[in-house]
Amino acid sequence: MNKKKAQSLIEYALILALVTLIAVTVLSFLSKKINSVFEVPEPQVEIQTNQVK
């Protein structure tokens, strides 16, 4: 392999690593917001007791 091909492969690998790092960072910051969108609050059920008089 000549020097130019090796240099190109190293540059592509560095770019790929940088893009991956950015994607992981962005997704980790957005994960809480994404989770809150899909969380469904549980309905609050009031228990009523029927008292016989």
Side-chain angles (χ1 to χ4, degrees):
M1 200 183 312
N2 61 16
K3 281 188 175 185
K4 283 189 178 184
K5 273 190 176 180
Q7 183 179 0
S8 294
L9 288 176
I10 291 172
E11 288 173 353
Y12 286 132
L14 288 174
I15 291 171
L16 181 62
L18 181 64
V19 168
T20 303
L21 181 65
I22 291 171
V24 168
T25 303
V26 168
L27 288 175
S28 68
F29 281 122
L30 293 178
S31 66
K32 289 181 182 179
K33 289 183 180 182
I34 292 171
N35 284 336
S36 68
V37 168
F38 291 107
E39 284 182 359
V40 179
E42 295 181 21
Q44 301 215 352
V45 179
E46 292 184 20
I47 298 175
Q48 297 179 352
T49 60
N50 294 328
Q51 295 180 352
V52 180
K53 293 184 180 180

